[in-house]
C-alpha cells in the first residue's frame, strides 16, 4: 500500500493538540483502509506532518476530515526509506511518557531540516579527464571524506539519484561545520572535482511532489551560481543561527545570498528551466519573460553568476545535454532537443565547455 505524508498548517498548534488529533485518527483509521505510522509537530512554524499508509490521497483526506476536521493542505506520496533518511524515523519516538494530565503521549519533534547539497563535475567527464584509475582514487577518497563528516556532524545522507549528495541536518552548526570541513579537506582537488556546496532549509512537504522538493531544488540553484569550493548559504540558514554563521563566514569561503537575490535567482533559473529546449529562445525572450531590460538582465546575471545571459543560457543547455545524450538520441537529435539550432554549433560549444566531443562522451 502506498505511503503518504501530509502537511497541516495550523497557526498556534501545540504538541498536545496534535497528540489529541492523532488519537482521533487512530479510532477511525480502519474505516478508510489507513494505517497511521507517526507524525511530527513543528510549533515554531505552525505545522504538523502525518505519515501513513493509505489506499490513496482521498482516503487520507476523508479520515482526517471525519476524525477531527483538519484537512491537509498538501499530500505527497513518499518512500519510507527516504523519509527515514531525512527525518531519522518512520515510527514513534522511543520511550515516550504518558502525560498524567491528559493520558496522552505528547512529544514535540519538528520536521524542519537544514539541507546540504554537494555537486561535482559529471562523473563521465571526470573519468575522461583523469583516467579510470585516478578517477576511482579521487572519487573514492572524496566519498569516504563526505561519509565520515556526515557521521562526525550528526547528519544523514539521503540517496537521491541524479541529485548529487543530499545531506539532512537538525542543527545549523553541524551543517556548517560539515560543509566547511569538506571545503578545507578538498582544496587540492576542488578544481578537478568542480566542487560546489550549498545550504538551504525547509519543511518536508511543500507544493512540489517530492520530500523537501522546493528546498532541495533551490539548493541546486545556489550550487549553480556558486564558485568552485565555495559554500553558498541561503538567507534562512543565516537567520537561523546568526552568531554561529558570523564565526564561520569570517574564516571561510562562504557566500551569503540575500532574500532579494534569492527571488532573482529563482526567476532566472525557472525561466531557463521553462525555455532551454526552445532554439528560438534568446536574450530578448529572456528579458521579456522576466519583464526587465537587456541591460538590467545583464547586470543581474553577471552579479549573481559571473556570466552574461548568453553564457548562462548556453551553459545551462550544455549541462542538460549531458543527460539527453544518455537517452539514446544521436548527436543531431540531442542538439535540437537541447535547444541548439545547429548540430555543428552544439558540438563546438560542447567541446569548448567540456574538452571532449559529444561522440567521445557517448563512448565513456
Amino acid at each position: 500500500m502506498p505511503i503518504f505524508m501530509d502537511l497541516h498548517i495550523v497557526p498556534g498548534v501545540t504538541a498536545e493538540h496534535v497528540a489529541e488529533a492523532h488519537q482521533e485518527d487512530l479510532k477511525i483509521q480502519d474505516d478508510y483502509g489507513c494505517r497511521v505510522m507517526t507524525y511530527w509537530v513543528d510549533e515554531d512554524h505552525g505545522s504538523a506532518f502525518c505519515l501513513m499508509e493509505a489506499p490513496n490521497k482521498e482516503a487520507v483526506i476523508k479520515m482526517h476530515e471525519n476524525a477531527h476536521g483538519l484537512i491537509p493542505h498538501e499530500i505527497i506520496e513518499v518512500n519510507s526509506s527516504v523519509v527515514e533518511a531525512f527525518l531519522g524515523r518512520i515510527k514513534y519516538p522511543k520511550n515516550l511518557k504518558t502525560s498524567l494530565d491528559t493520558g496522552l503521549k505528547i512529544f514535540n519533534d519538528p520536521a524542519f531540516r537544514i539541507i546540504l547539497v554537494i555537486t561535482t563535475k559529471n562523473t563521465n567527464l571526470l573519468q575522461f579527464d583523469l583516467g579510470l584509475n585516478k578517477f576511482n582514487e579521487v572519487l573514492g577518497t572524496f566519498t569516504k571524506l563526505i561519509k565520515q563528516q556526515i557521521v562526525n556532524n550528526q547528519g544523514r545522507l539521503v540517496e537521491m539519484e541524479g541529485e548529487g549528495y543530499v545531506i539532512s541536518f537538525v542543527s545549523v552548526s553541524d551543517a556548517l561545520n560539515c560543509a566547511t570541513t569538506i571545503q578545507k579537506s578538498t582544496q587540492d582537488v576542488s578544481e578537478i572535482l568542480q566542487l560546489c556546496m550549498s545550504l538551504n532549509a525547509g519543511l518536508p512537504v511543500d507544493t512540489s511532489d517530492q520530500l523537501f522538493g522546493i528546498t532541495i531544488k533551490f539548493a541546486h540553484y545556489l550550487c549553480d551560481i556558486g564558485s568552485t569550493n565555495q559554500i553558498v548559504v541561503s538567507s534562512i540558514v543565516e537567520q537561523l543561527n546568526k552568531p554561529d554563521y558570523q564565526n564561520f563566514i569570517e574564516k571561510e569561503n562562504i557566500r551569503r545570498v540575500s532574500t532579494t537575490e534569492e527571488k532573482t535567482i529563482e526567476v532566472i533559473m525557472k525561466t531557463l528551466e521553462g525555455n532551454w529546449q526552445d532554439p528560438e529562445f534568446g536574450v530578448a525572450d529572456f528579458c521579456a519573460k522576466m519583464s526587465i531590460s537587456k541591460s538590467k538582465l545583464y547586470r543581474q546575471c553577471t552579479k549573481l553568476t559571473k556570466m552574461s545571459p548568453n553564457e548562462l543560457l548556453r551553459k545551462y543547455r550544455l549541462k542538460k545535454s549531458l543527460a539527453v545524450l544518455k537517452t539514446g538520441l544521436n548527436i543531431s537529435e540531442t542538439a535540437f532537443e537541447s535547444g541548439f539550432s545547429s548540430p555543428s554549433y552544439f558540438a563546438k560549444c560542447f567541446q569548448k565547455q567540456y574538452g571532449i566531443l559529444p561522440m567521445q562522451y557517448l563512448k565513456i
Side-chain angles (χ1 to χ4, degrees), residues 77-92:
E77 187 172 345
V78 297
N79 181 298
S80 60
S81 62
V82 175
V83 174
E84 188 167 15
F86 272 117
L87 298 174
R89 63 181 180 84
I90 55 172
K91 298 179 181 178
Y92 291 105

Side-chain angles (χ1 to χ4, degrees), residues 163-347:
E163 297 283 359
Y165 298 89
V166 178
I167 307 162
S168 172
F169 298 89
V170 175
S171 160
V172 180
S173 299
D174 286 339
L176 277 166
N177 191 61
C178 182
T180 53
T181 303
I182 292 170
Q183 183 186 61
K184 291 176 186 176
S185 304
T186 55
Q187 289 178 353
D188 293 343
V189 294
S190 61
E191 289 292 339
I192 296 171
L193 289 170
Q194 292 184 6
L195 176 64
C196 294
M197 291 183 280
S198 67
L199 284 165
N200 197 15
L203 295 166
V205 180
D206 46 42
T207 54
S208 74
D209 59 357
Q210 291 186 332
L211 212 62
F212 290 95
I214 290 177
T215 302
I216 293 170
K217 191 171 192 176
F218 193 75
H220 276 282
Y221 290 167
L222 296 180
C223 282
D224 287 340
I225 64 135
S227 303
T228 299
N229 211 25
Q230 184 180 59
I231 303 166
V232 188
V233 178
S234 69
S235 59
I236 190 172
V237 172
E238 180 201 7
Q239 293 163 9
L240 286 169
N241 200 334
K242 206 159 189 173
D244 244 11
Y245 175 78
Q246 290 300 329
N247 290 336
F248 278 103
I249 201 169
E250 288 170 6
K251 302 174 184 177
E252 309 297 341
N253 182 19
I254 298 179
R255 174 182 173 185
R256 183 258 184 185
V257 179
S258 70
T259 52
T260 301
E261 288 174 326
E262 286 176 341
K263 292 176 183 177
T264 305
I265 291 166
E266 187 167 16
V267 174
I268 288 173
M269 298 308 293
K270 284 186 174 180
T271 302
L272 290 172
E273 284 177 351
N275 299 278
W276 65 277
Q277 291 180 289
D278 180 4
E280 301 297 321
F281 183 80
V283 173
D285 305 290
F286 213 146
C287 295
K289 291 284 184 180
M290 293 185 62
S291 302
I292 58 176
S293 67
K294 186 176 180 180
S295 59
K296 187 173 182 180
L297 176 64
Y298 181 86
R299 288 195 303 271
Q300 288 183 344
C301 285
T302 53
K303 178 186 176 183
L304 292 171
T305 70
K306 296 184 173 61
M307 288 181 280
S308 70
N310 263 325
E311 291 171 328
L312 183 62
L313 177 57
R314 184 165 57 249
K315 185 178 179 181
Y316 191 89
R317 282 171 167 159
L318 288 170
K319 182 180 178 181
K320 290 291 188 181
S321 76
L322 295 173
V324 177
L325 278 168
K326 291 300 185 180
T327 63
L329 297 182
N330 63 36
I331 304 303
S332 295
E333 291 169 333
T334 298
F336 296 127
E337 186 72 16
S338 303
F340 289 87
S341 56
S342 162
S344 60
Y345 180 63
F346 164 65

Side-chain angles (χ1 to χ4, degrees), residues 144-174:
K144 184 178 179 181
L145 168 68
I146 288 178
K147 289 184 176 180
Q148 185 58 57
Q149 288 309 311
I150 291 172
V151 173
N152 292 351
N153 293 283
Q154 291 77 53
R156 303 186 66 88
L157 178 62
V158 184
E159 300 290 344
M160 300 185 74
E161 187 176 350
E163 297 283 359
Y165 298 89
V166 178
I167 307 162
S168 172
F169 298 89
V170 175
S171 160
V172 180
S173 299
D174 286 339

Side-chain angles (χ1 to χ4, degrees), residues 123-157:
T123 52
N124 287 339
L125 292 172
L126 193 58
Q127 182 178 325
F128 176 82
D129 291 343
L130 299 177
L132 183 58
N133 291 337
K134 186 66 174 177
F135 166 78
N136 288 333
E137 177 189 336
V138 170
L139 204 62
T141 301
F142 179 64
T143 303
K144 184 178 179 181
L145 168 68
I146 288 178
K147 289 184 176 180
Q148 185 58 57
Q149 288 309 311
I150 291 172
V151 173
N152 292 351
N153 293 283
Q154 291 77 53
R156 303 186 66 88
L157 178 62

